[in-house]
């Protein structure tokens, strides 16, 4: 996930999403991955995909803060 965040900071959104998809295959129930994916989708201008990803991520929240952050993409 750290490499994905670094890629996103560089503006390499495709690489970030590829890395996050790999992380999701390894840890499919980790809400933080969905949160990062939603943020990358939004950064690349795909609000609909960001919302969809966040909605799925709400099923896997580990904390209230994570739920609140994901909920922010859904509104």
């Amino acid at each position: 996930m750290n490499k994905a965040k670094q890629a996103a900071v560089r503006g390499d959104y495709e690489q970030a999403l590829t890395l996050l998809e790999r992380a999701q295959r390894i840890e499919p129930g980790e809400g933080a991955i969905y949160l990062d994916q939603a943020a990358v989708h939004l950064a690349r201008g795909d609000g609909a995909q960001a919302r969809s990803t966040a909605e799925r991520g709400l099923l896997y929240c580990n904390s209230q803060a994570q739920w609140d952050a994901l909920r922010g993409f859904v509104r």
Side-chain angles (χ1 to χ4, degrees):
M1 287 181 55
N2 288 333
K3 287 182 181 182
K5 287 181 184 184
Q6 292 170 356
V9 167
R10 289 191 313 268
D12 189 353
Y13 303 127
E14 295 309 315
Q15 179 67 24
L17 288 172
T18 297
L19 291 166
L20 289 167
E21 288 167 5
R22 180 186 297 162
Q24 192 175 44
R25 284 191 301 272
I26 294 168
E27 196 70 41
E30 179 57 52
I33 296 170
Y34 291 91
L35 180 57
D36 288 350
Q37 284 176 320
V40 171
H41 284 300
L42 189 61
R44 63 189 278 248
D46 192 348
Q49 187 62 47
R51 179 186 172 110
S52 176
T53 300
E55 286 173 344
R56 283 193 313 272
L58 288 170
L59 300 172
Y60 303 106
C61 290
N62 296 326
S63 68
Q64 183 66 42
Q66 197 175 77
W67 190 89
D68 290 341
L70 284 163
R71 192 76 179 127
F73 287 99
V74 175
R75 292 184 187 163

